[in-house]
Structure formats: C-alpha cells, structure tokens
Amino acid sequence: MSERSDVTDTACAYRRTGIVPVGEAGGLKALTDREREVLLLLGTGLGNRRLASELGIAERTVKAHIARIANKLGQETRLQVAVVSVLSHAVLCGDPSCPCRHSALSPGAPRMSVA
Ligand SMILES: [Zn+2]
C-alpha cells in the first residue's frame, strides 16, 4: 500500500514531495555555536558575501559552514537549510529584544492570517 495514494494537487507540499523542512530531532544540538550563528544569519536570505561580512570570515568559509550545517541537519540544499533556519528562529535567536515576526511560524504558535 502506498502512503501517497491520497495525495492530490491540493495536498500539503511536504506530503506531496515527502520533504519536510525540519531536521532530525535534536539536529540543532549537533551544531557548534558558530554553526548555529551561521544558520541563524542564513535565515535572513542574505548572500554569502554579506554573511561573510557579518561574521567577519571569508566567503569560502561561509560556504563550508553551510555545507556542514546542511549535512548535520540532513538537508540537501542551501535553501532548505534557510527554511530550517526560519522555522527554528525562536530557538536559535538569543536576542531578548528580537523584533522579528518569525516566532509566528514556531510550532504551537497561532497560524498567520493570509487575509
Ligand atoms: Zn530573532
């Protein structure tokens, strides 16, 4: 029996593709403090040059960090890692004055209005 038999065009994109943008449980714990910092910044959508500037490191080092983070979180692409970053923002962000809106995407939080 196929677990995809009930999947239609209107099905959840995660069910449709089988790709769920969440790393393995505890995956974030496998990251070093620096990798968590890189992951948090990646969620801004900025490019490697800007990330390198923010972190005070070379672009190639940023790429190496992202590759290691993707591997540890079981993600295939940089964009998938960025999605994990956004979903994990409330966990990763240590700023008590965080003004971001991403907490609305945290598990258990009320769904955002699309109206
Ligand atoms: Zn924040």
Side-chain angles (χ1 to χ4, degrees):
M1 57 182 176
S2 169
E3 58 187 65
R4 294 175 55 89
S5 60
D6 61 340
V7 175
T8 67
D9 286 350
T10 58
C12 168
Y14 305 147
R15 292 208 307 132
R16 185 174 182 174
T17 63
I19 296 176
V20 180
V22 177
E24 297 171 22
L28 293 178
K29 290 188 175 71
L31 304 181
T32 65
D33 287 347
R34 188 60 154 171
E35 288 168 347
R36 288 167 67 102
E37 183 180 10
V38 173
L39 178 60
L40 183 62
L41 277 169
L42 189 61
T44 63
L46 292 171
N48 286 338
R49 180 179 301 182
R50 180 69 188 280
L51 294 183
S53 174
E54 292 289 339
L55 293 162
I57 58 180
E59 278 189 60
R60 65 179 181 281
T61 308
V62 171
K63 292 179 183 176
H65 274 305
I66 293 173
R68 267 196 302 277
I69 293 167
N71 189 37
K72 286 185 176 181
L73 297 180
Q75 304 299 313
E76 295 179 11
T77 70
R78 170 198 182 94
L79 184 54
Q80 289 174 336
V81 176
V83 171
V84 171
S85 174
V86 173
L87 291 172
S88 307
H89 185 91
V91 175
L92 294 168
C93 183
D95 183 351
S97 302
C98 175
C100 75
R101 298 163 293 148
H102 301 316
S103 58
L105 296 175
S106 298
R111 291 185 180 270
M112 290 193 302
S113 170
V114 188

